[in-house]
Amino acid sequence: MDYSELTDRGAFLAVIDSNWSEELSGGKITTLSIDATGVINGSDTDGCVYNGAIQIPDEKINIYKIELNLSICGELDGNYSGLGFTSAGDTIFQFSISNPDHFINLTLSRV
């Protein structure tokens, strides 16, 4: 793995306090709202509901710790955890979350 200068940008809740969205090739849209305290609420066009929180392990490093609960998603229901980072001038928020049964990767754009 190569070092990326994105790492040194730091992490701040004020940076991700926004509405975020991802549209997949099949037309599925996921929309998340993250508030100034790190609370996440959202849904997707399949009816899944997303609730959770974001914490910052170290403000000097562009890494966000994510805890997310998915409900009304069928087999994807459950608690997930993972890490994320911002890029493209803080207009992209990418994160990967998993639990023992599933892995989810989202690349969200600021709305």
Side-chain angles (χ1 to χ4, degrees):
M1 299 179 85
D2 292 330
Y3 170 78
S4 171
E5 291 181 10
L6 286 174
T7 302
D8 295 333
R9 294 182 49 225
F12 306 95
L13 291 175
V15 169
I16 58 170
D17 175 11
S18 189
N19 293 314
W20 300 88
S21 182
E22 175 183 52
E23 183 172 357
L24 299 176
S25 58
K28 178 179 175 179
I29 298 172
T30 301
T31 303
L32 299 180
S33 175
I34 303 171
D35 75 13
T37 64
V39 173
I40 305 169
N41 292 294
S43 62
D44 65 32
T45 52
D46 287 342
C48 291
V49 175
Y50 301 78
N51 293 293
I54 294 180
Q55 296 177 337
I56 298 173
D58 184 339
E59 288 184 348
K60 294 177 279 189
I61 302 171
N62 181 16
I63 295 289
Y64 297 84
K65 181 180 177 187
I66 298 145
E67 301 289 334
L68 204 57
N69 176 271
L70 276 64
S71 59
I72 316 175
C73 296
E75 71 176 40
L76 294 177
D77 283 359
N79 294 313
Y80 292 77
S81 61
L83 299 172
F85 65 95
T86 60
S87 63
D90 298 328
T91 62
I92 301 293
F93 184 43
Q94 184 171 353
F95 62 88
S96 298
I97 54 174
S98 64
N99 66 20
D101 299 315
H102 301 286
F103 175 85
I104 298 171
N105 186 53
L106 291 171
T107 302
L108 301 158
S109 298
R110 189 180 301 274
V111 189

